[in-house]
């Protein structure tokens, strides 16, 4: 029989079991925190009609969409794979709005697809972990202050080092540009400022002057804000003292101040958030609060959790105004980067806690395994007929922390031999001793 | 702005939040049991190269495959969506075999896609929950006896009524047909017998006689086995007493007897499994033990968990012989049928345990919410500025069991008002009282 070369598509993450265990653990931490803050689970289809999914898409993203050709009974229908979880959410609230309770808090952890140019750290199939709160007509600003608390809890529990939630409000720069008469050029200016870290202050100023014809005085005002290094409270104070007579600006500063206050009241430490007025992500999309999150010692990874406030989620599908605020963790890329930068390690992962090893008779092991499982212990019996050495080696390779040996001596003496695979220590044990030993190391 | 009609494709399940909560609960019960038996998580891509995925497919399934057209940088590559989780597993073990530990026990819970004719209870995107144990060259028969124990634990815990795991061994009928000189007609005969419940004994016998030219005596022998009503032990006894001199038959009977013994030793009660020699599922695929599972009071739903033993998983991709045994739960269809037959109900589901309701000041509620979350309570603060009545109504609509009211009296008196939404009872409470009340109803 001619063999087909087994392979996995590039850009599609596929993990070995010990890595998958770690991935699932991180996913589960994220999910638990989403639920702790009262977000409801959703699981919309990965395939949608192209008309619905591509209602608003454009540019690079549209080119990257995967189109799905019909199954046997779908002739003529145009389908595609979702490229994020936000558009399906917009469809969902427009479609089921009258059966939902608002504010509608939902989380979704699922795969999305983009046919991006293959390169290291970029994935064509990737998990998004999203939370959004959607209001009907209006939505309290308190939600904007609560989301960073969710981020803070997740990244603290993941224990992946120091992180800072960067926060801003789009209205501040928008108001400033209105005030300076530069609103037409605002996107250009923000995108230029965004290069600050890469190309340095002088080049940024040169581009602003030569390419976008901004006056020296205006550049000074803008750059002063963009490069402001001060505590969160000092930045708010500074913004207030600028005395800029523009209602958008003033509103932005007020909102940012309130959001910071809510973050503090929720217990987010000052060192874990920083006002950063130059966040450019989602310029066409976010209208108020915006977030990005960086690992202090691995800034090159980029933002590991981003989001913000938007005015109207489902404007493509519904006449109802639905403002919202949300954040998203790109888990596949994050996980890849955490491993690549050795911030986490998948070497010693295991789900199974006990391997029961029969010396000869298997039957007496079955009841023991059931008894351990009934006490919520993940347990497996080694069934293959092979040398004792190979059975222990199986446990070792899988990082299973305990082996229980069941031989003639044990059966005659009415006990089990419990072997701690880390220390090598062997003890006579009852079922309860085994349970206690396993629970003690967790 | 022209609106686009929001819609979800037919055949793609999309649930309301209270239904999704129930779905996730069932999924989680399945996953927990898979892990309790030492299965390792896998999460292979939903998109694979067509060459790999369609290596062995044929017939109706091939017509139903969804083809994926290229993203911007995939020109020329042929891709498709997986139509099950078994073919990706075969690819996986062939590709990573030398990095895996055998026997390789994996579970995967993920979506698969088939463009089937749309009809009630059929889905084009559906969750499969699969476990398989894969051996190198050989695999102990004990695994065949262990899988029904996993099934038994899952369906007992799901509490969806009486169920019976039907079990057989392909070698028995195969050996019988060899013995009768009918091996060429075996598939035809089995498919005919399978219609027994629908069309009755007489019609089955007529088809066997007229269409397949089976002799009256042979029909008698076959039908006697197919319609045998007796206890599991009696059926084994009967098979042994038939004195059929065929090694395949004898081996099948021996294996079935051993598998039943392992099931009993694992604690599967006699009433939850039944030898049924006529299981026809996967005729081209399964070679030994086969399973199907039925709800006693809802047999029309069909098998809710099926599987079996196969000789060589990855024969398309690898020269290595990898026998295996596995079972699969079609969760999407099962869930749909459980709801449709009112075997489960999604009316009163909730994940959030406490809604904190501010009477005027919100800030004092934030610390309380954090304190409750730190004690592993899912908790949400009602932020919108609306009437008290509406805040309680939000909790009611979401089935949130407890509301904590925080007003001037509470702040002045240094207590919280805890309202049990089910009984309507209101009590003065401390943080610890709230925690205790919530944990008491769980």
């Amino acid at each position: 029989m001619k063999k087909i070369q087994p392979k996995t598509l590039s850009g599609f993450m596929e993990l070995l079991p010990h890595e998958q265990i770690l991935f699932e653990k991180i996913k589960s931490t994220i999910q638990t925190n989403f639920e702790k803050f009262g977000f409801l689970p959703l699981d919309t289809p990965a395939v949608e009609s192209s008309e619905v999914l591509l209602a608003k898409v454009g540019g690079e993203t549209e080119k990257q969409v995967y189109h799905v050709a019909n199954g046997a009974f779908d002739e003529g229908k145009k389908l595609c794979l979702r490229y994020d979880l936000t558009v399906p959410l917009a469809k969902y609230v427009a479609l089921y709005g009258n059966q939902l309770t608002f504010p509608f808090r939902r989380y979704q952890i699922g795969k999305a697809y983009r046919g991006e140019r293959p390169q290291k750290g970029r994935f064509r199939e990737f998990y998004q972990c999203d939370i959004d709160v959607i209001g009907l007509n209006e939505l309290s600003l308190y939600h904007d202050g609560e989301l960073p608390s969710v981020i803070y809890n997740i990244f603290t529990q993941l224990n992946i080092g120091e992180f800072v939630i960067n926060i801003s409000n789009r209205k501040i720069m928008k108001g400033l540009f209105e005030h300076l008469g530069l609103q037409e050029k605002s996107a250009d200016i923000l995108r230029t400022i965004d290069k600050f870290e890469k190309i340095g202050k002088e080049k940024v100023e040169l581009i602003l002057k030569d390419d976008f014809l901004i006056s020296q005085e205006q550049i000074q005002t803008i750059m002063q804000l963009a490069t402001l290094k001060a505590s969160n409270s000092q930045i708010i104070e500074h913004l207030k003292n600028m005395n800029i007579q523009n209602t958008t600006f003033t509103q932005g500063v007020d909102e940012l101040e309130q959001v910071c206050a809510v973050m503090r009241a929720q217990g987010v430490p000052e060192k874990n958030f920083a006002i950063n007025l130059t966040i450019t992500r989602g310029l066409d999309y976010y209208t108020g609060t915006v977030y990005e999150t960086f690992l202090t010692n691995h800034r090159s990874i980029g933002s590991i959790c981003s989001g913000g406030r938007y005015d109207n989620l489902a404007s493509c599908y519904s006449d109802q105004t639905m403002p919202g605020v949300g954040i998203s963790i790109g888990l596949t890329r994050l996980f890849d980067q955490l491993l690549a930068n050795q911030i986490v390690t998948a070497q010693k992962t295991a789900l199974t806690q006990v391997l029961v090893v029969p010396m000869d008779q298997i039957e007496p092991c079955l009841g023991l395994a059931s008894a351990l499982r009934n006490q919520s212990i993940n347990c497996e019996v080694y069934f293959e007929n092979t040398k004792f050495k190979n059975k222990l080696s199986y446990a070792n390779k899988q990082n299973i922390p305990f082996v229980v040996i069941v031989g003639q001596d044990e059966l005659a003496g009415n006990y089990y031999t419990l072997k701690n695979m880390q220390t090598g220590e062997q003890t006579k044990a009852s079922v309860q001793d085994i349970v206690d030993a396993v629970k003690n190391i967790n």
Side-chain angles (χ1 to χ4, degrees), chain A:
Chain A
M1 183 174 169
K2 194 182 158 285
K3 302 294 173 193
I4 288 173
Q5 179 71 36
K7 59 175 189 238
T8 298
L9 295 166
S10 77
F12 288 74
M13 180 179 272
E14 191 165 64
L15 301 171
L16 287 168
H18 64 285
E19 299 166 331
Q20 191 72 49
I21 290 171
L22 182 62
F23 185 91
E24 297 300 324
K25 205 176 143 198
I26 294 175
K27 181 143 72 79
S28 165
T29 300
I30 294 171
Q31 182 180 351
T32 302
N33 277 287
F34 286 173
E35 292 180 357
K36 218 177 252 183
F37 281 82
F39 290 87
L40 298 166
L42 270 198
D43 184 4
T44 63
V47 180
E48 299 261 11
S49 103
S50 302
E51 187 194 9
V52 167
L53 216 55
L54 305 181
K56 217 167 68 173
V57 79
E60 197 62 9
T61 307
E62 182 159 17
K63 281 191 231 152
Q64 296 170 347
V65 168
Y66 280 108
H67 295 270
V68 175
N70 313 322
F73 304 102
D74 277 330
E75 284 79 8
K77 279 200 197 136
K78 292 207 162 119
L79 315 175
C80 55
L81 290 172
R82 65 183 176 209
Y83 54 89
D84 70 9
L85 301 182
T86 307
V87 178
L89 173 63
K91 177 213 74 175
Y92 187 91
V93 295
L95 186 54
Y96 305 105
N98 57 9
Q99 296 172 74
L100 302 175
T101 312
F102 288 90
F104 176 54
R105 302 161 76 82
R106 88 85 175 79
Y107 78 84
Q108 182 161 2
I109 297 177
K111 289 174 171 180
Y113 298 83
R114 293 190 186 202
E116 288 205 72
R117 189 183 298 280
Q119 63 186 86
K120 217 166 167 301
R122 289 275 169 176
F123 293 91
R124 292 171 171 196
E125 177 184 67
F126 50 93
Y127 272 97
Q128 291 291 116
C129 309
D130 282 19
I131 46 176
D132 288 86
V133 190
I134 315 296
L136 266 191
N137 301 314
E138 51 189 8
L139 182 72
S140 163
L141 190 68
Y142 276 90
H143 298 284
D144 301 48
E146 190 188 51
L147 292 196
S149 180
V150 185
I151 303 177
Y152 169 72
N153 277 275
I154 289 171
F155 290 108
T156 302
Q157 282 168 38
L158 288 181
N159 195 21
I160 52 176
E162 286 174 40
F163 63 91
V164 177
I165 303 164
N166 283 231
I167 183 163
S168 181
N169 190 302
R170 274 285 139 74
K171 291 173 188 167
I172 297 172
M173 285 309 222
K174 185 163 183 267
L176 176 71
F177 294 145
E178 283 171 14
H179 174 73
L180 297 174
L182 293 171
Q183 56 267 48
E184 307 282 301
K185 300 178 180 171
S186 62
D188 291 328
I189 299 171
L190 283 172
R191 290 204 181 92
T192 308
I193 295 172
D194 194 39
K195 296 178 187 150
F196 180 77
E197 277 188 40
K198 269 192 199 157
I199 63 175
K201 191 175 180 226
E202 277 180 30
K203 282 209 182 145
V204 165
E205 294 189 356
L206 208 64
I207 296 171
L208 291 178
K209 179 166 151 279
D210 291 354
D211 292 9
F212 303 121
L213 311 173
I214 318 279
S215 78
Q216 204 56 47
E217 197 187 339
Q218 288 172 330
I219 291 177
Q220 285 247 308
T221 311
I222 296 165
M223 289 306 286
Q224 200 197 359
L225 268 195
T227 62
L228 203 58
K229 295 272 178 247
S231 74
N232 293 319
S233 308
Q234 285 167 337
I235 293 179
I236 296 285
E237 216 46 47
H238 179 94
L239 290 169
K240 285 185 173 170
N241 291 337
M242 286 174 77
N243 274 318
I244 290 177
Q245 302 303 318
N246 173 288
T247 49
T248 309
F249 181 89
T250 316
Q251 202 189 347
V253 175
D254 284 350
E255 288 185 7
L256 186 57
E257 186 175 24
Q258 282 182 60
V259 167
C260 289
V262 174
M263 287 169 71
R264 289 186 190 105
Q266 297 241 336
V268 180
E270 209 69 26
K271 72 178 170 61
N272 286 104
F273 70 100
I275 294 174
N276 171 358
L277 300 174
T278 65
I279 298 174
T280 48
R281 181 179 302 261
L283 278 182
D284 311 326
Y285 187 62
Y286 297 123
T287 49
T289 310
V290 280
Y291 321 95
E292 288 188 337
T293 311
F294 297 94
L295 292 177
T296 308
N297 301 319
H298 300 274
R299 217 180 143 92
S300 64
I301 292 177
S303 174
I304 59 173
C305 178
S306 312
R309 158 77 71 147
Y310 39 88
D311 277 343
N312 194 2
L313 175 68
S315 57
C316 292
Y317 312 115
S318 168
D319 289 323
Q320 188 88 53
T321 303
M322 294 193 250
V325 59
I327 56 163
S328 180
I329 300 173
L331 179 56
T332 302
R333 183 179 142 74
L334 172 62
F335 182 76
D336 176 72
Q337 291 294 311
L338 290 178
L339 274 189
N341 289 280
Q342 297 177 300
I343 303 167
V344 298
T345 165
Q347 297 320 306
K348 289 287 172 199
T349 58
L351 288 176
T352 305
Q353 297 160 303
V354 172
L355 180 72
V356 179
V357 169
M359 296 299 283
D360 28 38
Q361 277 181 270
I362 290 180
E363 274 64 17
C365 298
L366 299 174
L368 170 63
S370 296
L372 293 173
R373 289 184 194 119
N374 285 340
Q375 301 234 37
S376 297
I377 285 175
N378 295 342
C379 166
E380 166 178 358
V381 182
Y382 196 92
F383 289 137
E384 308 309 302
N385 188 10
T386 180
K387 288 179 195 151
F388 180 66
K389 194 179 72 164
N390 293 340
K391 298 179 182 179
L392 286 193
S393 158
Y394 176 87
N396 258 330
K397 284 187 193 156
Q398 310 252 44
N399 305 311
I400 301 174
F402 292 99
V403 162
V404 176
I405 301 159
V406 184
Q408 292 306 340
D409 290 353
E410 285 80 3
L411 292 172
N414 203 21
Y415 66 90
Y416 301 107
T417 297
L418 176 67
K419 185 179 174 78
N420 179 322
M421 294 298 283
Q422 199 130 38
T423 63
E425 193 192 1
Q426 285 194 189
T427 46
K428 288 188 183 185
S430 66
V431 173
Q432 194 53 50
D433 294 337
I434 300 170
V435 172
D436 292 344
V438 170
K439 298 208 164 156
N440 271 337
I441 67 151
N442 287 339

